Amino acid sequence: MTARTPGELRSARWFAPDDLRSFGHRSRFMQMGYSAADWAGKPVIAIVNTWSDVNQCHAHFKQRVDDVRRGVLQAGGFPVELPAISLSEPIVKPTTMLYRNFLAMETEELLRSHPVDGAVLMGGCDKTTPGLVMGALSMGLPFVFLPAGPMLRGHWKGRTLGSGSDAWKYWDQRRAGKLTEAEWQDVEAGIARSHGTCMTMGTAATMMGIAEAVGFTLPGASSIPAADANHIRMSAECGRRAVQMVWDDLTPARLLTRESFLNGIACAMAMGCSTNAIIHLVAMSRRAGCAVTLDDFDAASRRVPVIANIRPSGDRYLMEDFYYAGGLPGLLERIREHLHTDALTVNGRTLGANIAGAEVHDDDVIRPLANPIYAEGALAVLRGNLAPDGVIIKPSACAPHLLQHSGRALVFDDYPALKKATDDPDLDVTAGDILVLRYAGPLGGPGMPEWGMLPIPTKLVKAGVTDMLRLSDARMSGTSYGACMLHCAPEAYIGGPLALVQTGDRISVDVPARRIQLEVGDEELARRRAVWTPPPPRYERGYGWIFSRHILQADQGCDFDFLETAFGAAVPEPAIF
């Protein structure tokens, strides 16, 4: 039995009345070749498409939108494609994070201002998943998320290449003089060889997996390779499902609870997730009015082990292997005891029902709980006088000897200075030092760029050093690895303690104890604060000006304050006169 009738459809406000304004709506749709048979009494489904000529992850969306459209038509709906800003992670500068909230605003307003009843959101490249979902959550219409899916494995000289992770690895070999220019060019040509997102467990794969675990996707959708024919079938199924969700009035408010987002956290830990998961999941949960915090992540990290043997936390496999081994349903079934299985999902069933009986076909790709890649979760939250609001580390992807360490700080105020110094063969640095990059956070970057995987100085690379502690208020790519402490909050740009660190200071890190401490006395820190000068504004006009005045800190998800659910009353439906 359906919960809504044709007369109750939101789109009927535009098309159904016998008045001059609705005459204009109907006649303009007829101008495009449609007739009343296309829309009358049917759910109008927005297909929010983030395709563009410069988004490699979404190159197939130009065709997939037609597959979604086919599904909508099969289910008796009326599909309308609404293009949205396309955020290509490696191409958009200074960082796509600057524009995640832009996409969220655009998505919300596209859905609000058009005669649509539900939506299929097409995304996957890092910031597109959270941006689309945040906007759709704020609008509150029924929606289903269609993940772009990972690309195929990379190849070079008989070796399997993983996007991002192997780029850093072979770049260090290039810097050390162990790789020729011709070999480097071959790596360049072989590391990304199909449409789709990064096939390592980077931010894209992490966020697509989280979207499924929270309940935004159909079962199994998050890990289908982009080039697989199953992705075409899933696209059509998303279109069909969106229509039924409208009839059932299955809005986010009816689906989501705080437990839904706790499921996302548990899934993230088991996947060996990107550090970016914290910022995006916190932001999405706050949009839904079901807020999770850094403490929820850290608590989960104590309970849920990493069982996905996928690079960079794993040592061998990629997302294509993960899909063949059972994909996300197989992983979730293995961590069932850590999930709230009664949480609802977009197909109207519970998460527990969706994963019941899911199988794992390769115990090395998706490990049993008794044989994890890492006994604790992927991420840890450290706090102390240097990061009172938290700093993030991915212990599953860093050298074990650095989990408890004290070292001398080597401080840089901008990336060009850092790069110049790390290329200096005479740099005064040892493997025991801690590299620090600041003024690279949400406001300082601007936009919190992925600069947090600070390059190991060439001098140390040539000596065989492969990891060292690094600290920043920036983010890092989810495909990165190493002992990088990130998202230091509050950031240096607004006067956080990171702004007071000087080269030569000692910093102590204890990951098991979740502590980070600047070994400088309170009186000395007070003296430094008294003479600290805030940096100049990054923007004096435009979108950046808005961004600078409203962006929240990393521990709060980097949303705009005025977009959060708690900021004010819900926006009413647009007037139609």
Side-chain angles (χ1 to χ4, degrees):
M1 180 180 292
T2 58
R4 305 184 77 184
T5 64
E8 295 172 324
L9 292 174
R10 180 175 181 270
S11 58
R13 297 181 62 236
W14 273 261
F15 295 122
D18 184 15
D19 59 20
L20 183 60
R21 184 56 61 199
S22 292
F23 163 84
H25 300 153
R26 294 189 296 267
S27 68
R28 293 305 184 180
F29 266 72
M30 295 180 79
Q31 179 184 0
M32 294 183 285
Y34 298 113
S35 66
D38 289 301
W39 69 73
K42 298 179 179 181
V44 180
I45 304 299
I47 307 173
V48 183
N49 188 0
T50 51
W51 173 88
S52 85
D53 269 334
V54 290
N55 194 323
Q56 63 299 320
C57 299
H58 298 175
H60 53 316
F61 278 0
K62 202 170 188 177
Q63 290 76 42
R64 293 295 188 273
V65 68
D66 291 332
D67 300 313
V68 177
R69 193 187 305 272
R70 171 165 51 90
V72 172
L73 291 169
Q74 288 170 345
F78 178 38
V80 292
E81 181 182 358
L82 299 177
I85 187 173
S86 189
L87 301 177
S88 171
E89 191 64 28
I91 306 300
V92 171
K93 304 301 178 189
T95 168
T96 53
M97 190 62 189
L98 188 66
Y99 300 106
R100 182 201 68 181
N101 297 345
F102 188 106
L103 173 59
M105 285 194 297
E106 184 179 22
T107 302
E108 179 179 351
E109 300 307 325
L110 280 172
L111 298 180
R112 176 172 291 113
S113 60
H114 286 86
V116 299
D117 302 294
V120 176
L121 311 177
M122 299 178 64
C125 194
D126 295 16
K127 309 306 178 295
T128 59
T129 298
L132 288 164
V133 168
M134 288 162 66
L137 286 173
S138 291
M139 180 52 203
L141 295 181
F143 74 87
V144 60
F145 180 71
L146 171 60
M151 70 173 100
L152 301 177
R153 306 181 191 93
H155 284 284
W156 173 63
K157 287 189 173 181
R159 306 174 201 178
T160 300
L161 297 178
S163 47
S165 299
D166 279 319
W168 322 127
K169 170 185 172 182
Y170 288 113
W171 176 239
D172 279 348
Q173 291 194 20
R174 176 91 169 114
R175 292 165 64 209
K178 298 177 181 178
L179 217 63
T180 67
E181 182 177 355
E183 288 174 319
W184 178 242
Q185 290 175 348
D186 285 345
V187 171
E188 188 176 290
I191 200 166
R193 59 188 190 89
S194 81
H195 48 259
T197 69
C198 291
M199 77 305 254
T200 42
M201 188 58 75
T203 305
T206 292
M207 294 312 301
M208 291 187 291
I210 286 173
E212 181 171 339
V214 174
F216 298 136
T217 83
L218 294 175
S222 66
S223 40
I224 303 172
D228 195 301
N230 283 296
H231 195 271
I232 299 173
R233 288 187 282 274
M234 179 59 71
S235 299
E237 181 59 28
C238 286
R240 291 190 291 270
R241 182 58 198 161
V243 173
Q244 189 58 47
M245 288 179 71
V246 170
W247 289 128
D248 293 342
D249 198 24
L250 200 54
T251 62
R254 293 184 61 192
L255 276 178
L256 299 172
T257 63
R258 190 169 181 274
E259 286 68 32
S260 304
F261 292 96
L262 293 177
N263 285 341
I265 293 176
C267 172
M269 292 301 168
M271 289 190 298
C273 64
S274 161
T275 50
N276 290 308
I278 290 185
I279 289 177
H280 300 320
L281 192 46
V282 166
M284 291 191 300
S285 72
R286 289 164 71 115
R287 286 291 188 102
C290 306
V292 296
T293 68
L294 267 61
D295 289 338
D296 292 311
F297 277 88
D298 198 62
S301 76
R302 298 289 198 180
R303 299 191 307 268
V304 186
V306 178
I307 63 171
N309 189 8
I310 310 299
R311 302 182 203 172
S313 288
D315 59 3
R316 182 175 178 185
Y317 300 107
L318 298 170
M319 288 301 296
E320 196 176 345
D321 306 295
F322 182 70
Y323 175 64
Y324 300 145
L328 201 77
L331 178 138
L332 293 177
E333 178 62 24
R334 288 216 154 155
I335 64 164
R336 174 181 281 268
E337 65 191 73
H338 298 293
L339 299 173
H340 298 274
T341 53
D342 57 346
L344 287 175
T345 71
V346 292
N347 70 348
R349 304 174 68 202
T350 65
L351 181 66
N354 286 345
I355 63 175
E359 298 180 358
V360 172
H361 311 298
D362 190 326
D363 284 340
D364 193 38
V365 179
I366 303 174
R367 298 282 187 87
L369 289 177
N371 182 33
I373 292 295
Y374 188 74
E376 292 193 1
L379 306 180
V381 181
L382 315 184
R383 287 189 172 90
N385 68 344
L386 192 49
D389 293 331
V391 67
I392 310 304
I393 190 169
K394 188 173 182 177
S396 61
C398 67
H401 73 278
L402 295 171
L403 298 180
Q404 292 176 299
H405 182 77
S406 180
R408 181 189 65 149
L410 190 56
V411 183
F412 302 93
D413 288 342
D414 59 73
Y415 202 89
L418 167 76
K419 189 175 186 304
K420 181 178 179 181
T422 54
D423 288 340
D424 182 356
D426 298 319
L427 180 66
D428 178 16
V429 65
T430 71
D433 291 338
I434 300 177
L435 300 182
V436 178
L437 175 67
R438 62 189 175 195
Y439 301 112
L443 280 162
M448 209 179 179
E450 291 187 340
W451 296 345
M453 187 187 174
L454 313 186
I456 296 173
T458 302
K459 171 183 176 179
L460 298 180
V461 171
K462 290 183 176 180
V465 175
T466 58
D467 202 2
M468 66 186 299
L469 276 176
R470 289 154 278 179
L471 170 65
S472 180
D473 46 13
R475 300 176 299 110
M476 77 175 181
S477 166
T479 65
S480 301
Y481 53 88
C484 300
M485 298 173 288
L486 310 155
H487 312 181
C488 190
E491 65 175 308
Y493 186 91
I494 63 171
L498 190 64
L500 308 180
V501 183
Q502 296 180 358
T503 292
D505 289 346
R506 198 150 201 88
I507 298 173
S508 296
V509 176
D510 188 334
V511 175
R514 301 301 198 256
R515 297 291 298 168
I516 182 169
Q517 191 75 11
L518 177 62
E519 305 296 350
V520 175
D522 292 343
E523 289 185 7
E524 173 60 16
L525 290 177
R527 185 194 67 78
R528 294 181 188 181
R529 181 167 296 283
V531 299
W532 177 76
T533 303
R538 298 298 195 220
Y539 293 99
E540 296 189 10
R541 64 165 300 281
Y543 172 73
W545 183 88
I546 297 172
F547 182 97
S548 299
R549 278 153 182 76
H550 295 284
I551 192 71
L552 296 171
Q553 287 291 288
D555 61 302
Q556 298 173 300
C558 294
D559 202 355
F560 289 159
D561 55 7
F562 64 86
L563 292 178
E564 290 203 306
T565 301
F567 186 82
V571 179
E573 283 287 342
I576 300 177
F577 296 113

